Amino acid sequence: MEMDNASFPNTFVLLGFSEFSWLERPLSAVVLVSYILTLVGNSSIVLLSLVDPRLQTPMYFFLDNLSLLDLSLTCTTVPQLLSNLWGPDKTIASWGCITQSCLFCLAASTECALLAVMATDRYVAICRPLQYSLIMRPWVCVQMTVVCWSSGLANALLQATLTLQLRLCGHHTLDHFFCEMSVLIKLACGDTSANDLALTLMTIPFGMVAPLMIIISYTFIARAVLKLPSAEGRRKALSTCSSHLLVVTLYFAPGTYLYLQPSSKSSQAKFISFLCCVITPVLNPLIYTLRNKDVKTAWKRILQSQSSVKSLKAR
């Protein structure tokens, strides 16, 4: 793709954390460890639900999609971040920059919608337990997930198409560690009203409607839980929602903080993005593994079966 100074340059420079040069080496170690743990943790959840029939339920189907999104989010941003932290070359090809921004937008938007769907699933499980299997049929779950992915893809394609039409006039230095749509738009020397409008409009379904659905779902869940006669019943009901609530808080809280402080420094925005792209995907599988008896039981069954196979082979 031929690019001149009036449109996109051939390469972009990602400043990353270069203003904190003393932090780059220790930060690269944190990123590498987090990257490995993210790959292992999220991949193991997907494989575990495929192997164990007891985990082939709507909740774990949505959790599998959440793990795939976390893997996509991490694999989109972290390899380039590691490359920039390890060497002096902090450039990225223009096609790689656009691909990275498009995939990041897809994963981030889809995850917003998916977390709202997961809250709906918890609402049906607690407030309509007798109708759960009827309402959350496998085909319904697939359709809900397809809507999440399709909406995220539509948003990503819209933002990428509008961004590709910008005139950057030779500007190619991004004060970030990955190519984000909003950062690319700031490089434009022409009219960006269409891009700004598209970003603003897309915050309605993903940044407002999705959190509102979560709040409404948990409002009904809280009312249903408080009506339960026994403390044990309330504890069990809350334990089924605690992991999802914690994941929702980790995902939406940093973005909400940035949105409420639009004049925040670029370094502050970078560290918050670092939290979302590097740290949160590591914590999600840990939250669902450590706080979920079904997952821990499934792991025990697999480990026990593996040890039994080894002992039989030894004989």
Side-chain angles (χ1 to χ4, degrees), residues 67-90:
S67 295
L68 290 174
L69 285 169
D70 283 338
L71 286 171
S72 302
L73 197 66
T74 304
C75 293
T76 297
T77 57
V78 171
Q80 183 65 43
L81 174 59
L82 284 173
S83 176
N84 290 357
L85 289 173
W86 283 340
D89 184 17
K90 299 184 184 299

Side-chain angles (χ1 to χ4, degrees), residues 152-206:
L153 178 61
N155 182 33
L157 291 176
L158 172 64
Q159 304 299 341
T161 301
L162 292 174
T163 304
L164 281 170
Q165 296 175 4
L166 291 175
R167 297 172 62 87
L168 303 186
C169 303
H171 304 304
H172 61 104
T173 301
L174 296 170
D175 191 12
H176 214 305
F177 64 87
F178 71 98
C179 295
E180 191 176 8
M181 294 289 182
S182 59
V183 181
L184 279 171
I185 292 172
K186 291 179 181 178
L187 297 183
C189 56
D191 183 24
T192 62
S193 57
N195 303 77
D196 296 331
L197 179 62
L199 284 174
T200 302
L201 289 177
M202 287 303 105
T203 60
I204 296 175
F206 298 110

Side-chain angles (χ1 to χ4, degrees), residues 41-311:
N42 286 285
S43 299
S44 63
I45 284 181
V46 175
L47 294 174
L48 192 64
S49 62
L50 292 174
V51 172
D52 196 324
R54 296 177 182 84
L55 298 184
Q56 293 173 3
T57 62
M59 185 179 78
Y60 293 104
F61 174 73
F62 295 132
L63 180 57
D64 288 346
N65 281 270
L66 180 63
S67 295
L68 290 174
L69 285 169
D70 283 338
L71 286 171
S72 302
L73 197 66
T74 304
C75 293
T76 297
T77 57
V78 171
Q80 183 65 43
L81 174 59
L82 284 173
S83 176
N84 290 357
L85 289 173
W86 283 340
D89 184 17
K90 299 184 184 299
T91 61
I92 180 173
S94 57
W95 64 266
C97 188
I98 289 298
T99 301
Q100 188 182 61
S101 60
C102 189
L103 291 176
F104 175 81
C105 185
L106 166 63
S109 303
T110 304
E111 190 156 339
C112 289
L114 184 66
L115 289 173
V117 166
M118 293 175 74
T120 304
D121 172 69
R122 293 298 83 205
Y123 160 76
V124 177
I126 292 176
C127 300
R128 300 286 187 273
L130 299 178
Q131 300 173 310
Y132 182 77
S133 58
L134 179 64
I135 296 174
M136 303 302 294
R137 299 187 302 277
W139 180 238
V140 173
C141 295
V142 171
Q143 288 178 318
M144 294 170 76
T145 307
V146 168
V147 169
C148 294
W149 284 91
S150 299
S151 61
L153 178 61
N155 182 33
L157 291 176
L158 172 64
Q159 304 299 341
T161 301
L162 292 174
T163 304
L164 281 170
Q165 296 175 4
L166 291 175
R167 297 172 62 87
L168 303 186
C169 303
H171 304 304
H172 61 104
T173 301
L174 296 170
D175 191 12
H176 214 305
F177 64 87
F178 71 98
C179 295
E180 191 176 8
M181 294 289 182
S182 59
V183 181
L184 279 171
I185 292 172
K186 291 179 181 178
L187 297 183
C189 56
D191 183 24
T192 62
S193 57
N195 303 77
D196 296 331
L197 179 62
L199 284 174
T200 302
L201 289 177
M202 287 303 105
T203 60
I204 296 175
F206 298 110
M208 297 175 64
V209 175
L212 182 62
M213 286 179 61
I214 294 171
I215 292 171
I216 292 173
S217 296
Y218 277 103
T219 300
F220 284 110
I221 288 171
R223 291 176 60 185
V225 169
L226 290 174
K227 291 179 180 179
L228 293 175
S230 66
E232 181 65 18
R234 290 193 292 270
R235 187 191 65 79
K236 287 183 179 180
L238 289 174
S239 66
T240 63
C241 301
S242 57
S243 297
H244 179 254
L245 268 176
L246 189 54
V247 169
V248 166
T249 303
L250 287 172
Y251 187 79
F252 282 105
T256 303
Y257 176 80
L258 277 180
Y259 180 78
L260 293 177
Q261 294 191 3
S263 60
S264 59
K265 297 179 180 179
S266 62
S267 58
Q268 188 180 34
K270 278 188 283 190
F271 279 107
I272 292 177
S273 297
F274 179 84
L275 175 68
C276 297
C277 297
V278 179
I279 304 302
T280 302
V282 181
L283 297 178
N284 286 351
L286 290 175
I287 291 169
Y288 276 100
T289 301
L290 296 177
R291 299 180 63 86
N292 194 298
K293 292 182 179 179
D294 293 336
V295 175
K296 289 189 285 187
T297 303
W299 272 118
K300 289 178 182 178
R301 282 195 296 267
I302 290 178
L303 294 175
Q304 288 173 356
S305 63
Q306 291 291 328
S307 62
S308 300
V309 169
K310 288 180 180 179
S311 62

